[in-house]
Amino acid sequence: MTIELGARADGVRQANLSTLLGLVHAAGPRSRSALTQATGLNRSTIAALVGELVDRGLVVETDPVGVARVGRPSPMVAASRDVVAYAVNPEIDAVTVGVVGLDGVVRSRVRRETDGVPTAEGAAAIAASVIEGLRVDSPGVVEVGVGLAVPGLVRADGGLVRLAPHLGWVDEPFAELVAEATGLPARAANDASAAAVAEGRFGAGRGVDDLVFLNGGASGVGGGVLVGGEPLVGSGGYAGEIGHTLVNSVGRLCHCGATGCLETEVGQAALLAATGLDRSQADELAAALAASAPGSEARVEVHRQVDQLSIALRNVVNVFDPSLIVLGGFLGSLLAAEPERLLSGVTVQALPGSADDLRIVRAELGADRLTIGAAELAFARLLADPAGARLP
């Protein structure tokens, strides 16, 4: 079953429905009384709005568990886990596809390895094949669409992949290819920007409106920025490329053509080499760095990379004034190994004021981050206009 977005409700009702659905989507199940307090709407209005969302199959109501008090307890309202979005993440050696419920929980995830770097057409075909199999395994779900988290520059309209250097994609209409292959609406975004939304709504940044997320992986460093709780996309959709911040004016040449970019000076490969690990052991990196002895090759490399990362984060703080910086992947491992060195390196160099109450934390969602972030792309229109959804 597929949700189609059609005629809009009146503005006030639409906004109220969107607010309620957004609350239970991001914050989890809440009682009607809690929704009344959170929104300032009266009880009868909340009851009517929740009833409409229930009728549309977007939320479910249950009796609270373990409540013992006089009078009728306030029903719990939860986003429906059976309203789902598919999430697709093309990589240099695989295409990963997941299913995420409107409750924000990853129901399943499949990684389909490839013989080489997939083309856009090949990745779309793999995604469609995996989605078909997931449909068989999950009969009766209501499909919203497909979100695509791509390691590259994606146009603001969510359709064209302008450049994905590690995949070798240039001007690929990836969302259109996936939509044609699956029969579902599809929308793409940069993978780190999608992950920033996921960490902001469901992970380390929950409850924080202004944050910067950076992730370090085998292919480089990506970033995303949330301002007022919403992703900063820029005029063309390409904002947040913090991996290409200058940190060393006499550094190495980056694949982008510049010199001394963050992702050329700070990298997972050098950390693995210094600890004697190979790429297949990347999950062991954090423990190896934390256990490295003072003066060892690994600790010297950690200090070098932390100091370079501090320069980039100083720039981030001065430009965006975030209250929180979230680090994922091997960047999170650097933070865990030298938290005080990194924080002091940033705050000493940043302008007074912006760095006064800054926090730097590790990402929390792990492997779910890209899956949830991609799914949020597909859920966006439904969350903005629940009343415009028509169920076949």
Side-chain angles (χ1 to χ4, degrees):
M1 185 181 296
T2 303
I3 285 182
E4 296 180 357
L5 297 175
R8 291 184 174 277
D10 66 88
V12 173
R13 183 168 130 270
Q14 175 193 330
N16 288 339
L17 287 169
S18 175
T19 297
L20 285 187
L21 186 58
L23 282 171
V24 296
H25 168 65
R30 308 186 77 170
S31 67
R32 279 197 196 177
S33 59
L35 292 173
T36 299
Q37 293 175 354
T39 61
L41 300 172
N42 62 48
R43 288 184 295 176
S44 61
T45 299
I46 289 292
L49 293 169
V50 169
E52 182 171 349
L53 292 173
V54 170
D55 290 343
R56 294 179 178 279
L58 301 178
V59 304
V60 294
E61 279 195 297
T62 58
D63 292 329
V65 177
V67 175
R69 66 183 185 185
V70 178
R72 182 179 179 183
S74 180
M76 297 297 294
V77 182
S80 173
R81 70 182 300 271
D82 291 328
V83 175
V84 304
Y86 297 105
V88 176
N89 173 221
E91 305 168 78
I92 59 174
D93 57 356
V95 177
T96 301
V97 181
V99 185
V100 184
L102 189 57
D103 59 355
V105 176
V106 178
R107 292 174 54 127
S108 61
R109 181 169 48 239
V110 176
R111 176 182 166 87
R112 183 72 59 80
E113 295 188 357
T114 58
D115 293 332
V117 179
T119 63
E121 293 83 358
I126 291 172
S129 174
V130 174
I131 287 173
E132 188 57 38
L134 292 170
R135 283 171 168 161
V136 173
D137 294 337
S138 304
V141 298
V142 180
E143 300 170 324
V144 172
V146 187
L148 314 169
V150 181
L153 302 176
V154 181
R155 200 167 61 189
D157 62 9
L160 184 75
V161 177
R162 182 66 183 84
L163 174 66
H166 299 291
L167 297 176
W169 297 2
V170 178
D171 291 335
E172 291 287 359
F174 189 45
E176 180 181 336
L177 293 171
V178 172
E180 291 176 353
T182 62
L184 295 169
R187 182 183 174 198
N190 171 264
D191 56 355
S193 295
V197 172
E199 284 289 346
R201 293 179 183 170
F202 300 97
R206 177 176 283 184
V208 177
D209 287 335
D210 299 283
L211 67 83
V212 174
F213 168 78
L214 278 83
N215 188 69
S219 59
V221 175
V225 181
L226 298 187
V227 178
E230 296 298 323
L232 178 68
V233 297
S235 62
Y238 312 130
E241 288 294 328
I242 300 168
H244 295 283
T245 299
L246 174 66
V247 297
N248 185 1
S249 60
V250 293
R252 289 170 289 179
L253 182 67
C254 180
H255 65 81
C256 73
T259 298
C261 290
L262 174 64
E263 73 170 38
T264 63
E265 302 300 316
V266 172
Q268 177 177 280
L271 294 170
L272 291 172
T275 53
L277 301 174
D278 59 40
R279 185 173 172 180
S280 67
Q281 298 172 298
D283 290 344
E284 303 172 29
L285 182 60
L289 295 180
S292 61
S296 66
E297 179 184 355
R299 185 58 56 167
V300 169
E301 180 62 19
V302 166
H303 286 175
R304 186 191 71 79
Q305 293 205 22
V306 164
D307 292 345
Q308 299 283 33
L309 179 58
S310 297
I311 296 172
L313 297 186
R314 172 200 68 189
N315 296 334
V316 163
V317 170
N318 289 344
V319 172
F320 297 110
D321 186 26
S323 60
L324 181 70
I325 295 176
V326 181
L327 301 179
F330 77 82
L331 298 182
S333 300
L334 288 173
L335 172 63
E338 288 285 353
E340 294 181 4
R341 186 183 184 101
L342 181 59
L343 181 60
S344 64
V346 176
T347 54
V348 166
Q349 299 179 77
L351 292 171
S354 298
D356 287 351
D357 299 313
L358 177 69
R359 292 187 298 128
I360 305 177
V361 302
R362 293 186 73 177
E364 294 181 355
L365 296 180
D368 287 342
R369 187 164 50 242
L370 284 182
T371 304
I372 293 174
E376 288 297 285
L377 296 169
F379 284 133
R381 292 178 63 206
L382 173 63
L383 291 169
D385 186 11
R390 294 198 304 267
L391 304 183

